[in-house]
C-alpha cells in the first residue's frame, strides 16, 4: 500500500507553546488529507479534512484557531497545535487519500504529543 | 457516528482462522465496507474493502452477506503479529459528498494466543 510519514513521531512541550506536526505522502499524491486525534483507550476521532490549496474543514467541536492546518502541496500537510495545554496531549494521526476508483486512505504512524 | 457494530473483543489461537464479524444493517447501496486494523501505538493499517462481492487479498478475505447487512473479515492463519484492534467502517463510494470520511467505531480487540 501507499506510504504516509509523520514527523516528529513524538514530542514533549511546555504548556503555552506551539507544536507543528508534518504529514507527508511519500509515493502518491494526496489530494485530500485528514487529521485524527486518539486519546488513550479510545477510538480515532476525525478532527479536520484538508484539500490541497484550500481551507480545511473542521469537525464540530474542533477549534480551527487552535488546530491550524495547512495543505500547501499534494504531498505535505501540517497540523499546528497553538498554545498547547495538557489536555491537548494525545496521539495525532494523519491520513492521505488520492482520487481514484477506490480512494483508499492510508495512515501515517502517528505523533505522540505530551504537553507538560 | 459509526454505522457499524462489532464485538468489543475476541480471542483466537495462533495458526487458526480468525473470523471477525461486523454488523452494518443500515448500509446503503452507495456505501463500501472497509476494514482497518491498529496495532498498539501505530497508525491504522488498511486491510481490505468491498462493495457487495467477496474479496480476497494477501492479508485477508472479506465475506459480505447477500443483503449487505453484515460482513466477516477472515484472517486465514492468524499469527501473534495479528493482535490488534480491527475496525469495520462503512463509507460512501467516491463521488458522494463526504465520501472520503472514515468514521471509526470502537472496533474489535483481537488477541492471538500462542
Amino acid at each position: 500500500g501507499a506510504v504516509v510519514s509523520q514527523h516528529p513521531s513524538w514530542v514533549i512541550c511546555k504548556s503555552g507553546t506551539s507544536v507543528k506536526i508534518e504529514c507527508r505522502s511519500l509515493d502518491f499524491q494526496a489530494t485530500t488529507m485528514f487529521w485524527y486525534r486518539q486519546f488513550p483507550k479510545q477510538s480515532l476521532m476525525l478532527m479536520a479534512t484538508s484539500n490541497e490549496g484550500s481551507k480545511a474543514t473542521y469537525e464540530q467541536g474542533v477549534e480551527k484557531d487552535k488546530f491550524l492546518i495547512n495543505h500547501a502541496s499534494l504531498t505535505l500537510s501540517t497540523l499546528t497545535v497553538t498554545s498547547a495545554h495538557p489536555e491537548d496531549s494525545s496521539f495525532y494521526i494523519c491520513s492521505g487519500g488520492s482520487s481514484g476508483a477506490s480512494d483508499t486512505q492510508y495512515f501515517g504512524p502517528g505523533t505522540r504529543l505530551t504537553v507538560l | 457516528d459509526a454505522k457499524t457494530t462489532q464485538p468489543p473483543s475476541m480471542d483466537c489461537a495462533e495458526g487458526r482462522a480468525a473470523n471477525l464479524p461486523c454488523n452494518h444493517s443500515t448500509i446503503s447501496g452507495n456505501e463500501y465496507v472497509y476494514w482497518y486494523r491498529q496495532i498498539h501505538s501505530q497508525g491504522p493499517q488498511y486491510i481490505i474493502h468491498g462493495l457487495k462481492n467477496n474479496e480476497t487479498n494477501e492479508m485477508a478475505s472479506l465475506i459480505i452477506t447477500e443483503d449487505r447487512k453484515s460482513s466477516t473479515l477472515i484472517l486465514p492463519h492468524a499469527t501473534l503479529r495479528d493482535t490488534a484492534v480491527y475496525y469495520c467502517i462503512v463509507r460512501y463510494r467516491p463521488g458522494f459528498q463526504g465520501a472520503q470520511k472514515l468514521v471509526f467505531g470502537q472496533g474489535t480487540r483481537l488477541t492471538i494466543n500462542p
Side-chain angles (χ1 to χ4, degrees):
Chain A
V3 180
V4 175
S5 70
Q6 281 185 242
H7 179 79
S9 56
W10 60 271
V11 56
I12 301 172
C13 70
K14 293 182 179 179
S15 185
T17 60
S18 294
V19 175
K20 179 185 285 188
I21 302 170
E22 291 186 350
C23 175
R24 295 182 184 271
S25 56
L26 299 184
D27 53 1
F28 70 102
Q29 292 185 326
T31 52
T32 305
M33 284 185 167
F34 304 84
W35 287 94
Y36 296 80
R37 180 167 53 179
Q38 185 175 32
F39 292 107
K41 298 189 186 300
Q42 295 187 21
S43 188
L44 284 78
M45 289 184 56
L46 179 65
M47 298 174 67
T49 303
S50 72
N51 292 296
E52 185 262 339
S54 62
K55 288 184 178 181
T57 302
Y58 291 82
E59 295 298 302
Q60 192 172 9
V62 178
E63 300 175 58
K64 62 180 182 179
D65 294 329
K66 179 170 184 63
F67 299 99
L68 303 179
I69 292 172
N70 183 280
H71 191 167
S73 76
L74 288 172
T75 59
L76 173 64
S77 175
T78 60
L79 168 69
T80 300
V81 183
T82 63
S83 186
H85 291 285
E87 58 264 31
D88 298 322
S89 297
S90 187
F91 193 49
Y92 292 86
I93 308 168
C94 71
S95 70
S98 59
S99 57
S102 66
D103 202 21
T104 298
Q105 277 187 44
Y106 296 94
F107 287 79
T111 297
R112 174 81 54 195
L113 170 64
T114 301
V115 184
L116 302 177
Chain B
D1 293 331
K3 302 179 183 179
T4 63
T5 304
Q6 298 177 253
S9 64
M10 291 182 65
D11 285 85
C12 179
E14 188 179 18
R16 297 285 191 140
N19 298 287
L20 292 92
C22 179
N23 181 288
H24 32 80
S25 58
T26 61
I27 193 171
S28 75
N30 297 309
E31 291 177 308
Y32 284 93
V33 179
Y34 275 76
W35 283 83
Y36 284 81
R37 72 180 182 184
Q38 186 178 27
I39 296 171
H40 183 62
S41 294
Q42 297 182 24
Q45 177 189 22
Y46 166 77
I47 301 174
I48 199 168
H49 75 279
L51 184 62
K52 55 182 178 181
N53 297 319
N54 297 337
E55 302 288 344
T56 295
N57 61 21
E58 64 279 4
M59 289 184 68
S61 294
L62 174 60
I63 308 298
I64 303 175
T65 58
E66 195 169 338
D67 63 6
R68 301 186 70 238
K69 292 185 177 182
S70 65
S71 61
T72 301
L73 178 74
I74 302 172
L75 308 178
H77 304 287
T79 71
L80 298 178
R81 289 179 295 181
D82 292 321
T83 293
V85 178
Y86 287 75
Y87 296 99
C88 169
I89 300 169
V90 165
R91 175 192 171 195
Y92 280 107
R93 67 200 309 179
F96 283 77
Q97 188 177 12
Q100 297 171 314
K101 275 190 178 184
L102 291 178
V103 178
F104 286 80
Q106 295 306 307
T108 295
R109 183 172 299 277
L110 175 67
T111 301
I112 306 300
N113 300 306

